[in-house]
Amino acid sequence: MANASSTNEKLIQLLEEQLAHSNQQNKNLSKQIEALTEQVRHLTKLLYGSKTEQSKYNTPDGQVSLFEDDPSFNDPEPPGEQSQQTISYTVVRNIQKKKRNDSLHDDIEVETIHYYPENTLCDCCQGQMIEIGSTIVREEAEFIPAKMKKIQHVEHALGCIDCKGDTFHKAQIKRGKAPQPPIQRSIASPSVLAKVIYDKFSQYLPLYRQVKEWDRYGLNTNDKNLSNWVIRASHDWLMPIYERMKRVMMAKSLLHVDETYSQIINRSDGKSGQTNAYNWVYRSVPCQGPPITLFQSALSRARSVLESFIEGFSGTIICDGYSAYDKLEGVSFANCFAHVRRYWFKADSKNGQTGVSFCDDLYRLERKFKHLSPSKRRKQRQKYSKPIVDKFLEWVETSPFFGKNALAKAAEYTLNRANGLRAFLNDGRIEIDNYPAENAIRPNVIGRKNWLFSVSEAGARANAICLSIAETAKSNGVDFYEYIKKLLTDLPNLNIHQNPEILDRYMPWSKMIQAECRIYMK
């Protein structure tokens, strides 16, 4: 009996252990099923749902709907309770003349074509008729295609005949000096190079598609030549401008930073061309002088890339939650509320809606504070925004969000960056999000979709330099084509390497460039 009882106890204990193990397995499987279900729902929404991040619970002005969440307002009114009263309305519409959405600039050359009757004799008395008025029946734009012109630079030598025949005097010879070209022994003039660079980095037209257009104008070339022109011009004459802008940027105390992937076929690290390379973007803030946007091409997105680029910088970097943005000497980090909102928006639940509402409340206040000075904006944020941030973080911390679902990921992302999310409260110059950097990196993304990849690292660096100058010129109101043309015309004939302070006159915000290359403002 004792042996049977002992055997039964062991059997019961074994069954209990198996049951506990099965229960634990069920819990683990339930969590996996929940995570996979959440992932399937999220992917389905990405595939078939709305792409906008605008909350459906808020009207455009931020006012919450009074009726959408109450089902009683969605039910039809019973027929017996319908009102029989008829109300008439009179709507008075003011007829306004429709404005044209197309027009010509005021400085465009005007050509007038006059039309007179073929027969200027009166049909009644056969006398000569005189003009009594005229009417402009229409105005139209005429396009005059560009044309190619060959320019031959001829240096003439002059000598003194009298001194040449005099044995006591040295022969006197003077020679005319042609300006230096941007690329030696090349037919590419500053205007051609500027057009190639402008079409690629402002119109996002790949070089291989430019070849046919140049052939139509009368220039026989190929995409390899065009690529070499861009690389050489960027390295010799645009790089000094880029480095000068970087020096000005690193003297500031606030930066927006972001990164996106790219592709370089021939990599120096031995990795496959299919491996992602990265383009980093750095953007200054408007309250610290002229806006500057710089791109950097790198083989990775490691912290060392960021550290080497911002060497000498001391201040605050506004960024997303990527792990590279951390642990840099002399640098603090302000995190982006747009990324936080995006995580809660993806949760797509009642708690997710609550997280989005906290972020929307902060953005609603930011729109009111937008035009205030940094000091006044800081005071308003301390008074109105700080209580919302505190309440939001307290709600996240005390709520039971566990597991691997979207809510748990949103809560973890928010709490891990709590200090960075509070940074904008203490400095009115810091933006609530990193949208300036995300907007600045869009030209790189658009270009990537068109020219797809860079063959070499030199080409990728040239792309980064040209994009930097294009975006900085644009944000300072400078015509990119005219600016590049002036740089490639003037810099080869200036001693910029021995006297780099000359480059200050050629910054996009300088008085000379603003006067000569300013975009036409209507």
Side-chain angles (χ1 to χ4, degrees), residues 54-59 68 345 348:
Q54 182 177 356
S55 175
K56 66 180 180 180
Y57 303 100
N58 295 332
T59 55
E68 184 172 345
F345 186 82
D348 196 21

Side-chain angles (χ1 to χ4, degrees), residues 21 36 51 80 138 230 245 265 300:
H21 180 67
L36 291 173
K51 300 299 186 293
R138 76 173 185 275
V230 172
M245 291 196 297
I265 302 300
S300 73

